Structure formats: structure tokens, C-alpha cells
Amino acid sequence: MDRAVQVGDRWVIHNCEASQRECECDPMPRFEDAAALATHLGLELERVSWTGIPSRGDVLKELQTYKALVAATSNRALLRDLREGAPTPAQSRRAWEALRLAEESTPKYPLPFTTRWEDENYVRRHVPGLSVDAVGTRVQLVKVKSEVQCLRATSGTRICISDGADLENRDAPETWTMVQQLTVGLVYEKMQTEVVVAVEEDVIATFTYDEGSQVLLQCVGQVGMGLELLGILGRVVYELISNSAAHHWVREFEDVADLLVASTGVAAMSEFKAGDARGMIKPSGCSEWMRDDMFEAILPLLTTREGFVDLREWGMQSTAMPVSAEHTPLMCPHCWVTGEPNSHSPTVQVRPLRLVGSHDKQDEYTAVSHLWTEFRGDKTIRSMKNDAVVVGGPATLWIDKLCINQDDSDEKAIELSHMGSYYAGASTTLICPARPVASIPLVKQSRHLVAIPSHLNDFQGLRSWREDPWHNRVWTFQEAYLSRNPRVVNSDTNSGFDASWLDFMAFAATQTEPVRCQVGLPPWRQDSYPSHYGRLGEYVTPFLQSWVACNRHNWVPDISNIRIPLAKLLQLTHSRQCTEERDRIIGVLGLALSAEQFVLQRVSSLDDAYREAVRCGALGAEVLLADLGGTSPNSSWIPKSGREARYPPFVRNKCDAFRPVVDDDGTLVCKASEVEMDMDEREKCSEWGDHHRLNVRMHGGTTDATVGFQGLSSTRGKAYILEGTNNWSLNSRILLWASEAGSGTHHVEASGIINWGPLYRNAAKESDTEKGDGIVTLRLG
């Protein structure tokens, strides 16, 4: 006979007389029936077994899926009658009373009541200008059993909710409001668990389910939004954890959220398929809260138009979004309401010296991004003026070939440093590819779309755009990146088209799986939780400024907030071409720093450009992470051009190394510690590779470390580790080999980066060794 057994704060069904930890009963007695339904829905179910309590995440997920499949009929009946809407006052009052917050006590596990986002110094470093009180959503987690336990802490994530303005009117812009406090409560009453989700003082939704069978007993309120908020909570709870005990206490909220998603998701899929894939899917917002495998199984049932599925047609659109506080400067303060004063002041742009079609330098203008090889004099100018008007921009043009005196080296040096400002300051940028843009989808960009690559492949214009020579030039990367309104002419309709959206569609057409089109929202979505958003994480847009600019409020972020480290830019553009090799750095400099710091009069070659980049602080010690098998013949620390190097001139974004300097002779000067290594350790990395394990000794043998190394080693010269800020770990430090080259300089033989490596003091050695820091000055010629 089934009996209820308490496990921690929860109750589970136990089917035999053995103790819970010794039980070997089949946890899936109705596996065949569940597996048949899983196959019908396009899901996979694996039979699992264990002794004792399931603890592994994959086992727990399979068990939740199994129970959801078994309970699908009951749960479908509940969803069929679901009417989403705000809870009644009586329902809200009852939910708050169930949390018994007036009785709260200290949790039995040590929990962090403050987080790093409540540290004023931490916030000042990571989000300048943002106050601690406004950094992110405050989270309140409540457990109610025999006693009430509560955790309150500030996350580094701003949870925002949309007003849904674009649901009825597709052209209406959305407004997002930040959630100041999110409350999630778990109320345990033997075999029934109630989940309460509230924003500020308003209850959003409540869920009640049977703990043993996962049968949903009641769902009240805005159920879809409640599930979305529970899903977002699962991504931010780790910001609240400071130790393993806290992890176990908080993890329970994740487990409950996963359970509700599994039960609700399977029921929603079953009901939708039973209705022959017609009508709205309930609850709403399932594109966000539904598990990936469920979403991917339901997507083929939806109608595709011009290569896209519009989630709004099926009630699947999401209404909540997590936003990193660190990206606050990229958010239009009128579209993203956070409750704090708007202190944004746009950058004052440098105005061009000359314009084509106007003598007034204060006129609005269209910047032109083009290929010089395609320029045909007056005929091209007339065509550009006409196209500028077609795409909605001014007929007054800024064209680098004509507006910079190419015969005046002093003017050219100054104007090249201002190129980024000219494109950032243009009201429109006309992109002029070598081939006409035609045969493309005419769908308007929306975050509610999902791109279906197999359908997008039917549009030949996407392949033509992707392969156009315009993408092969170094300068066009910067021109696209800083343009707030990049446009191309669609020759099929003789009208303007958003170049950033065209570029994204061309990317989506190359993928093997559907891609969510949320790149149109804040661009940080492309590097956050990429597995949850299809393959969006692989898309590196060259049109970042246009994605974050808000034409509705004529708002653009300060250029300083979209800077990219120069080393990363060199990695992104190393395969592009340029007429002069020095342009590999000059051509992207406006994205790395205020280019006026860069003295172009000193730069006549690529070697000069590297030296000047280090001198002005745009590039640091990460330059040593280049493929050193392809260094400049004049210097051992300067990489060859990207076309000749076997590897991109940068390995990773972050390295822990003090900023080096370049002296008057062009020598790179940096601080380092000499490292002792056996010869067999040196020979381990004779070929470029990842995750080599090396044993090193430092500080006269008083410090030992086993490190994970990515790069290339050498048997010549001595090994050194560049000095950094972290004295307890070698993580992200640069390890290099250098041989003496005479006159007090060294020649770099090989280098790489340490992925991990804690330091261990050797007390026995310390007593025998004269103390000293062991730091030397390396002069790399």
C-alpha cells in the first residue's frame, strides 16, 4: 500500500516497507503507457532506476517527465477550463495569508542575507552610476511547513514585464517595467503543495499539486506569467547562494518550478495535439516557460510564413524577461522603466568636415558604407543620393572617399580617427553591397518570431547577402557596428530595408535548428543562456548599435557603453581584408576607445599600429596570446596579419595581467615571475591545444601549482608567468617562454593562457630559500 514519507521538507509516495534509502522498487511502473504518450508528443522518455532517493538532475528530470505523462489526462482537464486573469481580491488575500510572513523564522541552514549586488563597491565597479537600491530585482523566497523560513536578497538581474502593447497592434512598441520585488512561496501541507508567485504586493498566480503524483489540483491567476517568473527565478537563484547549505535550500525552488513546467507542459502539448493543432496553447507564454524539448516538438505543428513562425498567433508569446544589471546603459530608459531617474546623456559626436550635397556641416546626413572598388564617380554619387532618399535618409551624404582629402596625410590621419563618430552620428547609414538585395523575406522584425532555417533557404537573396564582398572588409565592420539606422535598398520593392534584420535572417538561414528572434531585444541575449534560446548564442552581430538604438524615442546609448576590447575585435575581423595592413587596427579602433587617444601620425605599418594600441591602452598583454608561429619579422611580440596567422590573434576575452608599456624602441615591457618547469612538461604543448596539465614552480620553488594550459610551449628559453591582480590563483594568467636576445631584451618563443591553477605554498622550501618576490622586468623585442 502506498504511504507518504517525508524527505526534507517534502512528502513523497513510497510503495514498500523498506526504508526510503533502501527501496529498490520500480519508480516507473507504468513506463510503457508513459513512453507511448511521449512518442505521440514527440518527446523522449528513458527508463531510470536507482537505490534510495533520486538526487542526480537527469534522474529527477526523467521522473518528473514520467509522472507528468501519467498525470496528463487529469492535468489536461484542468487546463481545458483554465481562464487566465488576475486573481480576485479574496484569492490574493488567501494566498498571502498562506505564506504566514508574520511568523517567519530564521532558516535552519546558513543563508546569505546579503549578496555581492548589495555591496556598494562591487556595484560601483560593475555598473557605474547605478545605486545599490536600484541594481536589480529583490527576491523573497518563503517556505511554509511547521515553521516559516524566509530569504530576502538582491539579485544582479532586473526582471522586467512587458505591457503587451504589440499583441493587438503589431506596430505598437512595447514598454517594459522592472519588477522591484519577486516573491515565491512554497506551502507544504502533507501531500499537497501550493506555490505562490507575487510581484510587489500583487499575487500573479498560485498552483496547487499533489506531491506524489504531480497531478495539478488548482491553477489560479495569470498562470503563464507565473510559470515564466518561476523559470527566470531558476536562472537567478545562484546569485543568492554563498555556500553548499544555501544551495540545497534554494535548489528546492528550482525543483518545484521544473515539476510544474513538466506537468503543465505535457498537458498543454496533449491538449493542443488533441485539438488538431488549432487555437491558442494554454497557459500563455509557453515559448518562454516550456522546456526546450517540448517547445521543439510543438514547433513543427505551427504555421510557417516566409520562413518564420509568429508565436502571437498561438498565444505562446512571453511577457517577462531577465536583464543583467550590467547592461543597464544599453537600455532605452523610456522603454525600460526601472523606477530610477534617467541620467543618460548621449555622446556629443564630432561633425564631419565636409558633406556631399550641402555646405552646412550641421545638416543631418546619410553616411555611406561602400566598397571603393565599386565606386564609379558621378554615376555612383547620383545613385547613392537616390538610394539614401529611398531608404528614408537625407540626400546629404558623407562618403569617406570624397569627404576626406586623400592627398593630405595630416587631415587623413585625423579624419580616420573620427570615422567611428561620423557613422555613429549619422541619422541613417546607407549600406551599399556589391550585389543588389533581392529575393528576401519581407517579414518585419519581432521578438515573437522563430526562424525556420529550412524555409529561409528558399530565399536566394539571403545567401547573396551573406556572401557579398561588403562583409569581407575590415572597415565595414566598424561602419555597421556604430550605425544607429543601417538600411539597404530592396531592389524588388524599391524600398528601404533594415540591414541588421537582413543580416540576422541570413545567419538564421545557415542554422540547422530553429532560431528565436530575440536578438531584436537587448543584444546581451546572444551571450546569455544560449542553449535556452536556440543557437542565438552563435550569432555575432556587426550591427550592435542599431539593435539597442530606440527610434521611437530618438535614443542611442553612449558609445563608451558599447566598446569592445581591441583584442576581441582583432579576433572578429582577422579574416577580413584591408588595403593597408595597419587598417587591421585603425579600421576597428573606434569600437575600442575614444580614437582621439590614438596618434595616427606615428603609425605607418601594422607593427606601428600594435605599438600605438598598447601605448594608448587599447590593447594589453593579451597581444601575447597570438599565434607566435606567425609573428612580425621585426618583433617577436607583434602578430602577423590575420590572413597569414594560423590562429586568430586572441584566445579569450579575459586575461589577468598588469598593463604593459611600450618604450621608445618599440619594446614591450611587462612584469613577470620566472617559472621552473621540467623539460618533459615543456614538451607537452609542442602543438597548439586546449586543457594541457602542467606542473610549475615559482618564487624559488616556494610555490607549486598544477595548471590547465591552453596554447603553445617551447623548449627554448625560460618560462615566465606575467604578474596579475590575483595573488591566490593563476587563473587567466599568461604563461610564456622567452629567450635572451641581447641588449637586455628577450625574444618570445611561445605563449598561452592558464585556464585554472590555484597556488600552493611549499613550507619546507620557504625555510630554505631566501625570501623575495621573484618578480622580474621582461623587455620583449
Coordinates of all heavy atoms in Angstrom, one line a residue, residues 574 581 584 606-607 610 626-633 635 637-647 649:
H574 N 39.8 39.1 -38.1 CA 41.1 38.7 -38.6 C 41.1 38.1 -40.0 O 42.1 38.1 -40.7 CB 41.7 37.7 -37.6 CG 41.2 36.3 -37.8 ND1 40.0 35.8 -37.3 CD2 41.7 35.2 -38.5 CE1 39.8 34.6 -37.6 NE2 40.8 34.2 -38.3
E581 N 47.8 47.2 -44.2 CA 47.8 46.3 -43.1 C 47.6 47.0 -41.8 O 47.0 46.4 -40.8 CB 49.1 45.5 -43.0 CG 49.2 44.3 -44.0 CD 48.0 43.3 -43.8 OE1 47.7 43.0 -42.6 OE2 47.5 42.9 -44.8
R584 N 44.1 47.0 -40.0 CA 43.5 46.0 -39.2 C 43.2 46.5 -37.8 O 42.3 46.0 -37.1 CB 44.5 44.8 -39.1 CG 44.7 44.1 -40.4 CD 45.2 42.7 -40.3 NE 45.0 42.1 -41.7 CZ 43.9 41.6 -42.1 NH1 42.8 41.6 -41.3 NH2 43.8 41.1 -43.3
L606 N 51.6 48.0 -39.7 CA 50.9 47.2 -38.8 C 51.7 47.1 -37.5 O 51.1 47.2 -36.4 CB 50.6 45.8 -39.3 CG 49.8 44.9 -38.4 CD1 48.4 45.4 -38.1 CD2 49.7 43.5 -39.0
D607 N 53.0 47.0 -37.5 CA 53.8 47.0 -36.3 C 53.6 48.3 -35.5 O 53.4 48.2 -34.3 CB 55.3 46.8 -36.6 CG 55.6 45.4 -37.1 OD1 54.6 44.7 -37.5 OD2 56.8 45.0 -37.1
Y610 N 50.2 48.2 -33.7 CA 50.2 47.4 -32.5 C 50.9 48.2 -31.4 O 50.4 48.2 -30.2 CB 50.9 46.1 -32.7 CG 50.0 45.0 -33.2 CD1 50.0 44.5 -34.5 CD2 49.0 44.4 -32.3 CE1 49.2 43.5 -35.0 CE2 48.2 43.4 -32.8 CZ 48.3 43.0 -34.1 OH 47.4 42.0 -34.5
A626 N 48.7 35.7 -29.2 CA 48.6 35.5 -30.7 C 49.3 34.2 -31.0 O 50.0 33.6 -30.2 CB 49.1 36.6 -31.4
D627 N 49.1 33.7 -32.2 CA 49.8 32.6 -32.8 C 51.3 33.1 -33.0 O 51.6 33.8 -33.9 CB 49.2 32.2 -34.1 CG 50.1 31.2 -34.9 OD1 50.9 30.5 -34.2 OD2 50.1 31.2 -36.1
L628 N 52.1 32.7 -32.1 CA 53.5 33.2 -32.1 C 54.3 32.4 -33.2 O 55.5 32.7 -33.3 CB 54.1 33.0 -30.7 CG 53.5 34.0 -29.7 CD1 53.9 33.7 -28.3 CD2 53.8 35.4 -30.1
G629 N 53.7 31.5 -33.9 CA 54.4 30.9 -35.0 C 54.3 31.8 -36.2 O 54.9 31.6 -37.2
G630 N 53.6 32.9 -36.0 CA 53.4 33.9 -37.1 C 53.6 35.3 -36.7 O 52.7 36.1 -36.8
T631 N 54.7 35.6 -36.0 CA 55.0 36.9 -35.6 C 55.6 37.8 -36.6 O 56.2 37.3 -37.6 CB 55.9 36.9 -34.3 OG1 57.0 36.1 -34.6 CG2 55.1 36.3 -33.1
S632 N 55.6 39.1 -36.4 CA 56.2 40.0 -37.4 C 57.7 39.7 -37.4 O 58.3 39.4 -36.4 CB 55.9 41.4 -36.9 OG 56.8 42.3 -37.5
P633 N 58.3 39.9 -38.6 CA 59.7 39.7 -38.7 C 60.5 40.7 -37.9 O 61.7 40.5 -37.6 CB 60.0 39.8 -40.2 CG 58.9 40.6 -40.8 CD 57.7 40.2 -39.9
S635 N 59.5 42.0 -34.9 CA 59.3 41.9 -33.4 C 58.7 40.6 -33.1 O 57.9 40.0 -33.8 CB 58.3 43.0 -33.0 OG 57.9 42.9 -31.7
W637 N 56.8 39.9 -30.4 CA 55.5 40.0 -29.7 C 54.4 40.5 -30.6 O 53.2 40.5 -30.1 CB 55.7 40.9 -28.4 CG 56.0 42.3 -28.7 CD1 57.2 42.9 -28.8 CD2 55.0 43.4 -28.8 NE1 57.1 44.3 -29.0 CE2 55.7 44.6 -29.0 CE3 53.6 43.4 -28.8 CZ2 55.1 45.8 -29.2 CZ3 53.0 44.7 -29.0 CH2 53.7 45.8 -29.2
I638 N 54.7 41.0 -31.8 CA 53.6 41.5 -32.6 C 53.2 40.4 -33.6 O 54.0 39.9 -34.4 CB 54.2 42.8 -33.4 CG1 54.5 43.9 -32.4 CG2 53.1 43.2 -34.4 CD1 55.1 45.1 -33.0
P639 N 51.9 40.1 -33.7 CA 51.4 39.1 -34.6 C 51.6 39.5 -36.1 O 51.6 40.7 -36.4 CB 50.0 38.9 -34.2 CG 49.8 39.6 -32.9 CD 50.8 40.6 -32.8
K640 N 51.6 38.6 -36.9 CA 51.5 38.9 -38.4 C 50.1 39.3 -38.7 O 49.2 39.2 -37.8 CB 51.9 37.6 -39.2 CG 53.4 37.4 -39.4 CD 53.6 36.2 -40.3 CE 55.1 36.0 -40.6 NZ 55.3 34.9 -41.5
S641 N 49.8 39.6 -39.9 CA 48.4 39.9 -40.3 C 47.5 38.7 -40.1 O 48.0 37.6 -40.1 CB 48.4 40.4 -41.8 OG 48.6 39.3 -42.6
G642 N 46.2 39.0 -39.9 CA 45.3 37.9 -39.7 C 45.2 36.9 -40.8 O 44.9 35.8 -40.6
R643 N 45.5 37.3 -42.0 CA 45.5 36.4 -43.2 C 46.6 35.4 -43.1 O 46.5 34.3 -43.7 CB 45.5 37.2 -44.5 CG 44.2 37.9 -44.8 CD 44.3 38.7 -46.1 NE 45.3 39.8 -45.9 CZ 45.6 40.7 -46.9 NH1 45.1 40.5 -48.1 NH2 46.4 41.7 -46.6
E644 N 47.7 35.8 -42.5 CA 48.9 34.9 -42.5 C 48.9 34.0 -41.3 O 49.4 32.9 -41.3 CB 50.2 35.7 -42.6 CG 50.3 36.5 -43.9 CD 51.5 37.4 -43.9 OE1 52.0 37.6 -42.8 OE2 51.9 37.9 -44.9
A645 N 48.4 34.5 -40.2 CA 48.4 33.7 -38.9 C 47.5 32.5 -39.0 O 46.5 32.5 -39.6 CB 48.0 34.6 -37.8
R646 N 48.0 31.4 -38.3 CA 47.2 30.2 -38.3 C 46.0 30.3 -37.4 O 45.0 29.6 -37.6 CB 48.0 29.0 -37.9 CG 49.1 28.6 -39.0 CD 49.9 27.4 -38.4 NE 50.7 27.9 -37.2 CZ 51.2 27.0 -36.4 NH1 51.1 25.7 -36.5 NH2 51.9 27.5 -35.4
Y647 N 46.1 31.1 -36.4 CA 45.0 31.3 -35.4 C 44.7 32.8 -35.3 O 45.5 33.6 -35.5 CB 45.5 30.7 -34.0 CG 46.0 29.3 -34.1 CD1 47.4 29.1 -34.1 CD2 45.1 28.3 -34.2 CE1 47.8 27.8 -34.1 CE2 45.6 27.0 -34.3 CZ 46.9 26.7 -34.3 OH 47.4 25.4 -34.3
P649 N 44.3 36.4 -33.6 CA 45.2 37.0 -32.7 C 44.8 37.1 -31.3 O 45.2 38.0 -30.6 CB 45.5 38.3 -33.4 CG 44.2 38.6 -34.0 CD 43.6 37.3 -34.5

